[in-house]
Amino acid sequence: MKTASPKHATAAETFVRDEENTDWHNETLWFVRSKRDRAAQTIPEWEALREQASQIKNHALSNLDNYLIQLEENARRNGITVHWAANGDEHNQIVYDILRKHNATKIVKSKSMLTEECHLNPFLIKQGIEVIDTDLGERIIQLREEPPSHIVMPAIHLKKKHIGDLFHKHLGTDAGADDPQYLTEAARIHLRQKFLMADVAITGVNFAVAETGGFVVCTNEGNADLGVHLSKVHIACMGIEKVIPKAEHLGVFLRLLARSATGQAITTFSSHFQKPAPGQEMHLVLVDNGRTRQLASPDFRNSLKCIRCAACMNTCPVYRRSGGHSYHSAVAGPIGSILAPNIDMNEYADLPFASTLCGSCSNVCPVKIDIHQQLYKWRQVLGAAGAVEPAKKVGMAGMDALFSRPWLYRFAGRAGRWLMQTFPSLANKPGLNPWAIHRDMPQPPEQSFRDWYAQQNKKTNG
Amino acid sequence: MNVGLFIPCYVDQFYPKVGIATLRLLESLGVNVIFPMEQTCCGQPMANSGFQSLSVGCDRNFIRNFANCDVVVGPSGSCVLHLKDHLHSDENPAEATRLRNNVYELCEFLTDVLKVSELPKARFPHRVGLHTSCHGQRGLHLSSMSELMAPKFSKPETLLRMVDGLDLIQLSQPDECCGFGGTFCVFEEAVSSKMGKDRVADHLRHGAEVITGGDMSCLMQLEGVLRRQKAPVRVMHIAEILTAEN
Ligand code: SF4
């Protein structure tokens, strides 16, 4: 049974309590955001490029059925076996069936947020299959038995010291050693063995090209290539929104992706897979898992443009100060907060509220998703569906009653100011007023503006 | 031109001096200002909590109050943005649309409509940090945004530069959110407070004596942190600085 995760506010409160760590996390991600700014500044047509990317995605989503069929046809022609999965369970079963057919017991996997979303790892492990994540960050969190906290840098919440301790325990590095070079070397040796022994390689897909039937996987470590080239079977898993019409469109997306993600001009490896090597089998699994539902909703379909660059996380002032795990979903941060409620509205009802709606996310997004506006719209959907705590709703109905009756508003305002003046300690009491835990309340004035205004008018008129 | 002065509920109740400064500023520029006495709130607190549908009464009251005004001006980017985006009426959609298109945040009204180019009487000899509020900036485009690769500008800064003696400090993160976020400030108390603390630290590090901005809600957040820290720095709404003559 799934146990309910703590809500964002609660998890965030725990995170923030370690202020030094919070500052470090905030600064680390802000550094990445600053690198993104510098990289974007080198492209004079940056904003035009974003617009173009957004339009290409818009077109692809509007014609998704055709492009998916075109992709399937061309992929088949190239010798790739294409599978369709309606949801995560079907996806996992398809992958498992392929593994069984080959009596595979050891697989290596390069980074794929989709398999994370479908919970593929726990499913395969339960079937007795060894699954090794080969992206260094992913391997680290896999050894720690925790989910990624970031979609591009899955172990960004950890410091060198944590990794030194972890590798000491699992890979036998020297106790207390935390030199990055040394630790990376150890990981490399460990992973090389896994690569050599693997029966099957699983990868994600960054872009699938309808016109060619091929797909592109972007990594910085070359782990996707290494896995695929050493295995007899390659299974690539993708959400159906990853299809783009033409190969030339890659010129737009690849320029935006790495610059937005890490400030690099391009990822170290942009691996193009077109057809299986002689003697190899290649599978492409196309997964819906709620995407067509999202596509059918005019308010939320834009979220399917996402190319998973994580720029919206790096810039988000809330994400930077609450950590990825506080979002308790495969994809954290602003984009996760508009994707997750589509998968389970009740479980993720808190996420659209984990934002000040500052709008920075929408501005950095390379495909111009109106992220903060979707957060606002999700709040209305959740409010209408009764997925917001009842206490909040009663409070809000009361507010409207107050603000639609000017006399009541005036009376309440006066009474409130009087209360605050008379019992300042009450207003500043953290137990009764969460505002006051870390902040003082404003000092209530003698008179409201409207009282002053009325008095002035009396003076001048009377 | 009849200008309806819109004073957001919390400014009315907690910061009347901001309302007074706004009124005086507009009148000093020769504007005919009306303050409809029965106005209350823009409806944002409900809408941001997921209950835009419950703000019908609020919207109705707003529309009734400002029916006689050619334009509406308010000293709060956040409330103005909310009205611009969401003021709604099933009974009188034309009037709701007219008001949505004619509501201005104070600074933009000064720079874009009145085209103010000097404030000869304004004098404020202090080191001032400008807090750029997100809704005014990213919603109303009162200034350029650090995320976008576009020419730099700032309407509030343009106005502050007209004030004699004012020394505007530079910040490390000039457009980072203060963490207020409406009901976010209580429902996500921990992160909200931390954001406020970090924002204040940026101003203090750069030697601000006063923190100003166009949105009193953000300034209330920063003031809450400053007062808790007993820091010798105060917050003032930009209208108060533009009318300062000391
Ligand atoms: S929503 Fe935009 S910024 Fe966020 S991960 Fe997706 S593409 Fe990147």
Side-chain angles (χ1 to χ4, degrees), chain B residues 219-236:
Chain B
L219 295 178
M220 178 166 77
Q221 158 90 340
L222 300 179
E223 183 188 44
V225 175
L226 285 167
R227 289 196 23 212
R228 182 58 59 94
Q229 294 179 349
K230 308 211 180 325
V233 171
R234 34 184 193 136
V235 299
M236 283 173 79

Side-chain angles (χ1 to χ4, degrees), chain B residues 5 41 91 104 112 134 144 147 152 172 180 216:
Chain B
L5 177 60
C41 168
E91 304 146 12
Y104 293 92
D112 301 359
C134 305
S144 52
E147 303 90 4
K152 302 238 173 308
S172 305
F180 177 69
M216 215 49 224

